[in-house]
Amino acid sequence: DTTVKQNPRYKLARVGKPVNLICSQTMNHDTMYWYQKKPNQAPKLLLFYYDKILNREADTFEKFQSSRPNNSFCSLYIGSAGLEYSAMYLCASSRGGAEQFFGPGTRLTVL
Amino acid sequence: QEKVQQSPESLIVPEGAMSSLNCTFSNSASQSIWWYQQHPGKGPEALISIFSNGNKKEGRLTVYLNRASLHVSLHIRDSQPSDSAVYLCAFYNTNTGKLTFGDGTVLTVKP
């Protein structure tokens, strides 16, 4: 089973409110990633966990938080959503390699 | 910062034709180049990868890599309507463990 699951699939949030997105995988992959994708743009890496070590990209360091309570689950947390956060959020996992397995994404709309 | 450029932005071909997609990257030391396919409502899925200069063939897919010119191309022989999707080129940097994606090419195969 190479399934990566994401919940919810669609999320509506108000400006200034927190948002929490969930991702799970059952492939025992050591690395889990979160990307932000806007229309006609490349997926942008936000952060990734290698085992229990969190790596956040420098330009989004203060905007996104994450936790990985166990190998299978990983969350993406936005403390205060702004309009610019409206996007598709893609979770992926890999076993320390370039082949990443992606979930279907969560479409976040901030109003 | 590593960059990936894809062309064309969109491509329409008749069923049975060859589809040719292009990608240039900024870092000649890139470890491997990947092509991902994304259908509407789904996450990207790895199609084929290449590391060494030259070509690699898998079924109807052929990838050509020229590191000197920082160029890689994907060719889909006998294109089918089910091949209609967004194709993302990405390069994987082993040192950072990160994939850097291009903006994608929208392929439409007309029956």
Side-chain angles (χ1 to χ4, degrees):
Chain A
D1 181 12
T2 56
T3 302
V4 176
K5 296 182 179 179
Q6 293 189 240
N7 287 297
R9 292 294 307 276
Y10 301 90
K11 176 72 178 177
L12 189 63
R14 297 292 181 187
V15 169
K17 296 297 185 183
V19 175
N20 196 45
L21 309 180
I22 303 295
C23 177
S24 65
Q25 52 92 11
T26 56
M27 296 172 278
N28 200 32
H29 284 171
D30 52 19
T31 310
M32 295 185 74
Y33 310 81
W34 281 100
Y35 292 84
Q36 180 190 67
K37 189 177 187 314
K38 296 187 176 183
N40 302 316
Q41 294 184 19
K44 176 182 170 60
L45 180 66
L46 300 176
L47 53 86
F48 66 97
Y49 264 99
Y50 172 68
D51 195 13
K52 293 181 171 56
I53 301 170
L54 174 61
N55 298 272
R56 287 187 284 176
E57 292 297 283
D59 58 346
T60 56
F61 190 86
E62 295 179 349
K63 296 183 177 181
F64 300 93
Q65 284 282 358
S66 183
S67 67
R68 190 177 186 187
N70 56 55
N71 177 268
S72 300
F73 287 86
C74 189
S75 67
L76 181 69
Y77 181 76
I78 301 168
S80 177
L83 297 175
E84 71 277 15
Y85 287 85
S86 290
M88 177 72 80
Y89 288 86
L90 294 166
C91 174
S93 69
S94 75
R95 185 170 284 127
E99 185 174 11
Q100 295 182 14
F101 295 84
F102 283 82
T106 295
R107 184 174 298 282
L108 173 65
T109 302
V110 182
L111 300 174
Chain B
Q1 188 170 352
E2 295 157 335
K3 292 189 185 298
V4 178
Q5 294 277 93
Q6 291 189 241
S7 64
E9 289 185 8
S10 62
L11 178 64
I12 301 174
V13 300
E15 184 175 354
M18 177 79 81
S19 299
S20 297
L21 292 70
N22 298 290
C23 179
T24 58
F25 45 96
S26 61
N27 183 351
S28 64
S30 305
Q31 297 298 314
S32 56
I33 309 296
W34 289 75
W35 286 93
Y36 280 74
Q37 179 192 57
Q38 185 174 19
H39 282 111
K42 296 193 174 182
E45 182 176 350
L47 273 184
I48 189 169
S49 65
I50 189 166
F51 174 78
S52 302
N53 261 340
N55 66 76
K56 180 178 180 180
K57 187 176 180 180
E58 289 183 1
R60 294 187 294 116
L61 305 178
T62 304
V63 182
Y64 294 94
L65 172 61
N66 185 328
R67 286 199 185 276
S69 62
L70 304 178
H71 181 263
V72 63
S73 59
L74 172 67
H75 303 270
I76 306 173
R77 176 177 53 83
D78 187 24
S79 298
Q80 300 298 307
S82 57
D83 295 329
S84 297
V86 175
Y87 288 80
L88 296 164
C89 175
F91 76 78
Y92 179 73
N93 188 316
T94 302
N95 292 330
T96 63
K98 298 179 186 177
L99 272 176
T100 301
F101 286 91
D103 291 346
T105 292
V106 180
L107 173 65
T108 303
V109 182
K110 296 282 194 183

mmCIF file of all heavy atoms in Angstrom, chain A residues 48-73:
data_model
loop_
_atom_site.group_PDB
_atom_site.id
_atom_site.type_symbol
_atom_site.label_atom_id
_atom_site.label_comp_id
_atom_site.label_asym_id
_atom_site.label_seq_id
_atom_site.Cartn_x
_atom_site.Cartn_y
_atom_site.Cartn_z
ATOM 1 N N PHE A 48 10.092 19.667 6.256
ATOM 2 C CA PHE A 48 10.048 18.209 6.233
ATOM 3 C C PHE A 48 10.620 17.657 7.528
ATOM 4 O O PHE A 48 11.448 18.292 8.192
ATOM 5 C CB PHE A 48 10.767 17.622 5.009
ATOM 6 C CG PHE A 48 12.255 17.833 4.967
ATOM 7 C CD1 PHE A 48 13.121 16.835 5.413
ATOM 8 C CD2 PHE A 48 12.793 18.996 4.439
ATOM 9 C CE1 PHE A 48 14.497 17.015 5.344
ATOM 10 C CE2 PHE A 48 14.170 19.181 4.361
ATOM 11 C CZ PHE A 48 15.026 18.193 4.814
ATOM 12 N N TYR A 49 10.152 16.473 7.876
ATOM 13 C CA TYR A 49 10.661 15.727 9.019
ATOM 14 C C TYR A 49 11.494 14.558 8.514
ATOM 15 O O TYR A 49 11.016 13.752 7.723
ATOM 16 C CB TYR A 49 9.503 15.144 9.844
ATOM 17 C CG TYR A 49 9.072 15.951 11.025
ATOM 18 C CD1 TYR A 49 7.964 16.785 10.943
ATOM 19 C CD2 TYR A 49 9.769 15.885 12.226
ATOM 20 C CE1 TYR A 49 7.553 17.523 12.033
ATOM 21 C CE2 TYR A 49 9.357 16.625 13.326
ATOM 22 C CZ TYR A 49 8.255 17.442 13.218
ATOM 23 O OH TYR A 49 7.843 18.177 14.297
ATOM 24 N N TYR A 50 12.717 14.494 8.964
ATOM 25 C CA TYR A 50 13.496 13.265 8.791
ATOM 26 C C TYR A 50 13.503 12.606 10.163
ATOM 27 O O TYR A 50 14.122 13.117 11.099
ATOM 28 C CB TYR A 50 14.911 13.539 8.307
ATOM 29 C CG TYR A 50 15.761 12.294 8.316
ATOM 30 C CD1 TYR A 50 15.501 11.248 7.436
ATOM 31 C CD2 TYR A 50 16.800 12.134 9.227
ATOM 32 C CE1 TYR A 50 16.258 10.086 7.462
ATOM 33 C CE2 TYR A 50 17.559 10.982 9.258
ATOM 34 C CZ TYR A 50 17.283 9.960 8.374
ATOM 35 O OH TYR A 50 18.028 8.803 8.407
ATOM 36 N N ASP A 51 12.779 11.506 10.258
ATOM 37 C CA ASP A 51 12.554 10.854 11.556
ATOM 38 C C ASP A 51 11.917 11.876 12.495
ATOM 39 O O ASP A 51 10.828 12.368 12.201
ATOM 40 C CB ASP A 51 13.861 10.311 12.101
ATOM 41 C CG ASP A 51 13.652 9.320 13.242
ATOM 42 O OD1 ASP A 51 12.508 8.870 13.431
ATOM 43 O OD2 ASP A 51 14.612 9.006 13.962
ATOM 44 N N LYS A 52 12.550 12.239 13.586
ATOM 45 C CA LYS A 52 11.958 13.208 14.514
ATOM 46 C C LYS A 52 12.538 14.614 14.352
ATOM 47 O O LYS A 52 12.216 15.505 15.136
ATOM 48 C CB LYS A 52 12.172 12.736 15.946
ATOM 49 C CG LYS A 52 11.415 11.465 16.308
ATOM 50 C CD LYS A 52 11.674 11.073 17.760
ATOM 51 C CE LYS A 52 10.780 9.942 18.217
ATOM 52 N NZ LYS A 52 10.871 8.738 17.373
ATOM 53 N N ILE A 53 13.393 14.797 13.354
ATOM 54 C CA ILE A 53 14.063 16.082 13.167
ATOM 55 C C ILE A 53 13.303 16.917 12.145
ATOM 56 O O ILE A 53 13.114 16.508 10.997
ATOM 57 C CB ILE A 53 15.508 15.875 12.700
ATOM 58 C CG1 ILE A 53 16.274 15.055 13.728
ATOM 59 C CG2 ILE A 53 16.191 17.235 12.470
ATOM 60 C CD1 ILE A 53 17.633 14.610 13.246
ATOM 61 N N LEU A 54 12.889 18.110 12.582
ATOM 62 C CA LEU A 54 12.139 19.016 11.725
ATOM 63 C C LEU A 54 13.075 19.992 11.025
ATOM 64 O O LEU A 54 13.921 20.612 11.669
ATOM 65 C CB LEU A 54 11.108 19.797 12.554
ATOM 66 C CG LEU A 54 10.325 20.898 11.838
ATOM 67 C CD1 LEU A 54 9.500 20.325 10.691
ATOM 68 C CD2 LEU A 54 9.454 21.662 12.820
ATOM 69 N N ASN A 55 12.914 20.127 9.707
ATOM 70 C CA ASN A 55 13.648 21.103 8.910
ATOM 71 C C ASN A 55 12.647 22.035 8.252
ATOM 72 O O ASN A 55 11.787 21.587 7.491
ATOM 73 C CB ASN A 55 14.458 20.394 7.822
ATOM 74 C CG ASN A 55 15.496 19.462 8.391
ATOM 75 O OD1 ASN A 55 16.610 19.860 8.670
ATOM 76 N ND2 ASN A 55 15.125 18.201 8.573
ATOM 77 N N ARG A 56 12.738 23.326 8.536
ATOM 78 C CA ARG A 56 11.827 24.302 7.944
ATOM 79 C C ARG A 56 12.600 25.189 6.974
ATOM 80 O O ARG A 56 13.739 25.574 7.240
ATOM 81 C CB ARG A 56 11.169 25.147 9.026
ATOM 82 C CG ARG A 56 10.117 24.375 9.828
ATOM 83 C CD ARG A 56 9.361 25.281 10.769
ATOM 84 N NE ARG A 56 10.142 25.640 11.945
ATOM 85 C CZ ARG A 56 9.735 26.474 12.886
ATOM 86 N NH1 ARG A 56 8.548 27.039 12.802
ATOM 87 N NH2 ARG A 56 10.502 26.741 13.920
ATOM 88 N N GLU A 57 11.968 25.495 5.851
ATOM 89 C CA GLU A 57 12.593 26.381 4.883
ATOM 90 C C GLU A 57 12.716 27.782 5.470
ATOM 91 O O GLU A 57 11.839 28.252 6.201
ATOM 92 C CB GLU A 57 11.770 26.428 3.593
ATOM 93 C CG GLU A 57 11.788 25.131 2.818
ATOM 94 C CD GLU A 57 13.165 24.764 2.333
ATOM 95 O OE1 GLU A 57 13.624 25.358 1.343
ATOM 96 O OE2 GLU A 57 13.779 23.873 2.956
ATOM 97 N N ALA A 58 13.805 28.461 5.104
ATOM 98 C CA ALA A 58 14.129 29.753 5.711
ATOM 99 C C ALA A 58 13.047 30.805 5.451
ATOM 100 O O ALA A 58 12.709 31.601 6.345
ATOM 101 C CB ALA A 58 15.474 30.246 5.185
ATOM 102 N N ASP A 59 12.473 30.798 4.235
ATOM 103 C CA ASP A 59 11.534 31.873 3.904
ATOM 104 C C ASP A 59 10.131 31.625 4.430
ATOM 105 O O ASP A 59 9.258 32.492 4.312
ATOM 106 C CB ASP A 59 11.496 32.096 2.382
ATOM 107 C CG ASP A 59 11.114 30.844 1.621
ATOM 108 O OD1 ASP A 59 11.131 29.750 2.220
ATOM 109 O OD2 ASP A 59 10.817 30.946 0.419
ATOM 110 N N THR A 60 9.876 30.459 5.019
ATOM 111 C CA THR A 60 8.552 30.194 5.592
ATOM 112 C C THR A 60 8.668 29.778 7.055
ATOM 113 O O THR A 60 7.721 29.288 7.647
ATOM 114 C CB THR A 60 7.825 29.092 4.807
ATOM 115 O OG1 THR A 60 8.653 27.911 4.775
ATOM 116 C CG2 THR A 60 7.519 29.539 3.400
ATOM 117 N N PHE A 61 9.847 30.036 7.611
ATOM 118 C CA PHE A 61 10.178 29.531 8.951
ATOM 119 C C PHE A 61 9.160 29.936 9.994
ATOM 120 O O PHE A 61 8.764 29.131 10.829
ATOM 121 C CB PHE A 61 11.568 30.040 9.326
ATOM 122 C CG PHE A 61 12.135 29.411 10.563
ATOM 123 C CD1 PHE A 61 12.826 28.223 10.476
ATOM 124 C CD2 PHE A 61 11.974 30.006 11.796
ATOM 125 C CE1 PHE A 61 13.359 27.629 11.611
ATOM 126 C CE2 PHE A 61 12.499 29.424 12.938
ATOM 127 C CZ PHE A 61 13.198 28.229 12.844
ATOM 128 N N GLU A 62 8.730 31.186 9.944
ATOM 129 C CA GLU A 62 7.870 31.673 11.021
ATOM 130 C C GLU A 62 6.386 31.475 10.735
ATOM 131 O O GLU A 62 5.548 31.731 11.591
ATOM 132 C CB GLU A 62 8.141 33.155 11.266
ATOM 133 C CG GLU A 62 9.558 33.417 11.785
ATOM 134 C CD GLU A 62 9.820 34.893 11.990
ATOM 135 O OE1 GLU A 62 9.011 35.713 11.550
ATOM 136 O OE2 GLU A 62 10.850 35.235 12.608
ATOM 137 N N LYS A 63 6.063 31.040 9.516
ATOM 138 C CA LYS A 63 4.660 30.966 9.130
ATOM 139 C C LYS A 63 4.018 29.616 9.413
ATOM 140 O O LYS A 63 2.801 29.530 9.555
ATOM 141 C CB LYS A 63 4.526 31.279 7.636
ATOM 142 C CG LYS A 63 4.937 32.680 7.268
ATOM 143 C CD LYS A 63 4.709 32.941 5.789
ATOM 144 C CE LYS A 63 5.043 34.370 5.406
ATOM 145 N NZ LYS A 63 4.802 34.641 3.987
ATOM 146 N N PHE A 64 4.821 28.575 9.436
ATOM 147 C CA PHE A 64 4.279 27.227 9.557
ATOM 148 C C PHE A 64 4.976 26.463 10.680
ATOM 149 O O PHE A 64 6.184 26.565 10.847
ATOM 150 C CB PHE A 64 4.442 26.444 8.241
ATOM 151 C CG PHE A 64 3.752 27.053 7.065
ATOM 152 C CD1 PHE A 64 4.429 27.928 6.223
ATOM 153 C CD2 PHE A 64 2.424 26.769 6.805
ATOM 154 C CE1 PHE A 64 3.795 28.509 5.145
ATOM 155 C CE2 PHE A 64 1.783 27.343 5.722
ATOM 156 C CZ PHE A 64 2.457 28.213 4.897
ATOM 157 N N GLN A 65 4.161 25.683 11.405
ATOM 158 C CA GLN A 65 4.682 24.775 12.415
ATOM 159 C C GLN A 65 4.257 23.357 12.032
ATOM 160 O O GLN A 65 3.339 23.159 11.221
ATOM 161 C CB GLN A 65 4.119 25.119 13.782
ATOM 162 C CG GLN A 65 4.736 26.330 14.441
ATOM 163 C CD GLN A 65 6.092 26.033 15.051
ATOM 164 O OE1 GLN A 65 6.566 24.891 15.009
ATOM 165 N NE2 GLN A 65 6.736 27.050 15.608
ATOM 166 N N SER A 66 4.902 22.404 12.649
ATOM 167 C CA SER A 66 4.555 21.023 12.342
ATOM 168 C C SER A 66 4.863 20.158 13.546
ATOM 169 O O SER A 66 5.668 20.524 14.396
ATOM 170 C CB SER A 66 5.351 20.540 11.130
ATOM 171 O OG SER A 66 4.989 19.211 10.763
ATOM 172 N N SER A 67 4.206 19.014 13.598
ATOM 173 C CA SER A 67 4.556 18.018 14.606
ATOM 174 C C SER A 67 4.433 16.637 13.985
ATOM 175 O O SER A 67 3.687 16.436 13.024
ATOM 176 C CB SER A 67 3.644 18.134 15.833
ATOM 177 O OG SER A 67 2.317 17.787 15.493
ATOM 178 N N ARG A 68 5.202 15.726 14.570
ATOM 179 C CA ARG A 68 5.176 14.340 14.089
ATOM 180 C C ARG A 68 5.179 13.440 15.328
ATOM 181 O O ARG A 68 6.222 12.992 15.788
ATOM 182 C CB ARG A 68 6.378 14.041 13.195
ATOM 183 C CG ARG A 68 6.261 12.702 12.471
ATOM 184 C CD ARG A 68 7.422 12.460 11.528
ATOM 185 N NE ARG A 68 7.201 11.235 10.758
ATOM 186 C CZ ARG A 68 8.115 10.699 9.946
ATOM 187 N NH1 ARG A 68 9.291 11.284 9.784
ATOM 188 N NH2 ARG A 68 7.841 9.593 9.281
ATOM 189 N N PRO A 69 3.998 13.179 15.868
ATOM 190 C CA PRO A 69 3.914 12.422 17.124
ATOM 191 C C PRO A 69 4.372 10.974 16.987
ATOM 192 O O PRO A 69 4.801 10.371 17.977
ATOM 193 C CB PRO A 69 2.418 12.492 17.467
ATOM 194 C CG PRO A 69 1.732 12.776 16.163
ATOM 195 C CD PRO A 69 2.686 13.586 15.361
ATOM 196 N N ASN A 70 4.277 10.428 15.791
ATOM 197 C CA ASN A 70 4.810 9.088 15.544
ATOM 198 C C ASN A 70 5.195 8.986 14.074
ATOM 199 O O ASN A 70 4.982 9.934 13.306
ATOM 200 C CB ASN A 70 3.793 7.990 15.927
ATOM 201 C CG ASN A 70 2.480 8.161 15.220
ATOM 202 O OD1 ASN A 70 2.433 8.232 13.990
ATOM 203 N ND2 ASN A 70 1.380 8.239 15.974
ATOM 204 N N ASN A 71 5.740 7.853 13.672
ATOM 205 C CA ASN A 71 6.263 7.705 12.319
ATOM 206 C C ASN A 71 5.205 7.918 11.248
ATOM 207 O O ASN A 71 5.496 8.362 10.145
ATOM 208 C CB ASN A 71 6.887 6.305 12.193
ATOM 209 C CG ASN A 71 7.387 6.026 10.793
ATOM 210 O OD1 ASN A 71 6.671 5.489 9.958
ATOM 211 N ND2 ASN A 71 8.633 6.402 10.522
ATOM 212 N N SER A 72 3.942 7.612 11.570
ATOM 213 C CA SER A 72 2.891 7.595 10.555
ATOM 214 C C SER A 72 2.198 8.926 10.336
ATOM 215 O O SER A 72 1.606 9.141 9.293
ATOM 216 C CB SER A 72 1.830 6.552 10.928
ATOM 217 O OG SER A 72 2.393 5.266 11.015
ATOM 218 N N PHE A 73 2.215 9.792 11.322
ATOM 219 C CA PHE A 73 1.426 11.019 11.260
ATOM 220 C C PHE A 73 2.304 12.267 11.256
ATOM 221 O O PHE A 73 3.343 12.306 11.911
ATOM 222 C CB PHE A 73 0.465 11.104 12.457
ATOM 223 C CG PHE A 73 -0.686 10.150 12.361
ATOM 224 C CD1 PHE A 73 -0.559 8.852 12.821
ATOM 225 C CD2 PHE A 73 -1.897 10.539 11.801
ATOM 226 C CE1 PHE A 73 -1.605 7.956 12.726
ATOM 227 C CE2 PHE A 73 -2.955 9.653 11.703
ATOM 228 C CZ PHE A 73 -2.805 8.363 12.164
#
